[in-house]
Amino acid sequence: MKKGKKLSDKKIIFWVLGIFCILLIGATVYTVLMSRKASEEVQGEAQDTQDQFVTYNGKKYEKNPDIRMILFLGIDKESTADLGGNPGTNGQSDSINLLVLNTKEKTGQFLQISRDTIVPIDVYDVQGEKILTEEGQLALQYAYGDGKEKSCRLTKEKVEELLYGISIPDYFALTIDGISAAADAVGGIPITVPKDYTYLHPAFQEGAKITLNGSLAEAYVRGRDTGELDSNVDRMERQSQVMQALLVQMKTEEVQESYASIYQKMQPYLVTNMSFERLESLAEYEISDEILTLPGEVQEEDGKAAFYPEEIKTREFILKLVYKEIES
């Protein structure tokens, strides 16, 4: 009996030692993994910090702290009251314009971004869970949100990725019928028609100086010749022109006196994360007549237009737009 008891005690000792070793090994592995994770997080933070500085072709650049971006979206589904449906049905960002502001110099310039730009589109289900990512036109990303803030955020993030990680803190989305309302609210938008667009409306003759009321403004920014592969290029130019002219019109004394009233009228048509005061401050900026575009080319894919930015030229373009060279 004693011998059997001693044998049982040995087994117990071995079991205890075994469990202790397993726990010791587990603790060691856990410590190593956590240390590695901490190290990776620190490296990630260091990388984020290093992004403030870029070295290119032997020259060092620093992000310009005076540059601020606002993403303007024109949505092709009428009125936000109709939005909020299933993912993929919430409209598309028909017009995508990035307003690049210099807060020190109080100047601004528009960068057109083609709706046909091919990017990885994140597709979501009805529960809001991402189910896959596939290449598609940038305009489609808006459709896979909620038709409101999430759609704007998803589109904004894709534009940030497209432009190599630049930060775009603000967005302003306006539905198509909102463009008409905006034109009427500011008393019309004066423009000079740059080309012959009489196929859109008889009033749009080349060189004509006209004031766009609501219905004319919508026809001017929405219409395109669907028979032409690159017809969106002309439409983008018109959309940027109207947005630019609208900001100029906002600087007039008559409009400035009724900002609050105009803002209230526009509420049913817009989605933005900007305060009224922030929007009002845009009247302080001088907006350049020159409209920027990304370098690249339009190709035909499955009967549709596909715009591909030229990588090296786009990198250099963003470097010049957002960074400033550090003198050695």
Side-chain angles (χ1 to χ4, degrees), residues 118-130:
I118 301 302
V119 298
I121 298 297
D122 295 329
V123 180
Y124 293 79
D125 62 19
V126 292
Q127 283 77 37
E129 298 293 329
K130 187 167 78 171

Side-chain angles (χ1 to χ4, degrees), residues 28-40:
T28 302
V29 171
Y30 177 81
T31 302
V32 170
L33 289 175
M34 291 305 293
S35 298
R36 183 178 298 173
K37 180 180 179 182
S39 175
E40 290 172 351

